[in-house]
Amino acid sequence: MGRYITTTGTALPVLREISAAHNAAVGERLLCNSTSAAFNITLPLNTTLVVGDVIQIIDATGTFATNNVTVQGNGALIQGTTETLVCDVANSVITLLFTGNTYGWVVTSS
């Protein structure tokens, strides 16, 4: 399941440093810096997702407890609900796995 490996080698995760609002892409590992302010991450549009897609959110600066990062589903459920996911635990690493339309994105580690 998930994305297929291409001849261009694009199946590997992409490491990206962010410190402001971001539209996430499948396969990204987001090194979040919320030292200055809280911000939002918007997950990929529901219609573009494949079961097995993964996105990882990492509190690189240990500041999620001070300045939360909020994850928005963009049409997909998160943990089976339409609620946003608020990342508010310092030094956390959250891995989201897309499981399909019934439950949407599921936290597989935190």
Side-chain angles (χ1 to χ4, degrees):
M1 301 248 165
R3 304 278 172 179
Y4 295 104
I5 296 174
T6 67
T7 57
T8 61
T10 57
L12 294 175
V14 174
L15 191 62
R16 188 171 315 279
E17 295 180 36
I18 62 171
S19 59
H22 178 72
N23 291 322
V26 169
E28 283 187 327
R29 285 185 173 165
L30 302 173
L31 295 174
C32 299
N33 177 351
S34 64
T35 302
S36 298
F39 59 89
N40 294 335
I41 296 172
T42 302
L43 296 174
L45 189 61
N46 186 32
T47 57
T48 66
L49 299 172
V50 175
V51 171
D53 284 347
V54 174
I55 294 174
Q56 192 170 56
I57 300 166
I58 303 161
D59 183 6
T61 55
T63 53
F64 278 5
T66 304
N67 292 314
N68 303 159
V69 170
T70 301
V71 181
Q72 300 175 353
N74 199 13
L77 300 174
I78 300 175
Q79 291 295 126
T81 73
T82 57
E83 300 291 322
T84 58
L85 173 65
V86 178
C87 304
D88 60 359
V89 177
N91 301 305
S92 59
V93 177
I94 299 124
T95 304
L96 296 169
L97 171 72
F98 186 71
T99 62
N101 292 329
T102 303
Y103 300 108
W105 293 96
V106 175
V107 176
T108 60
S109 66
S110 60

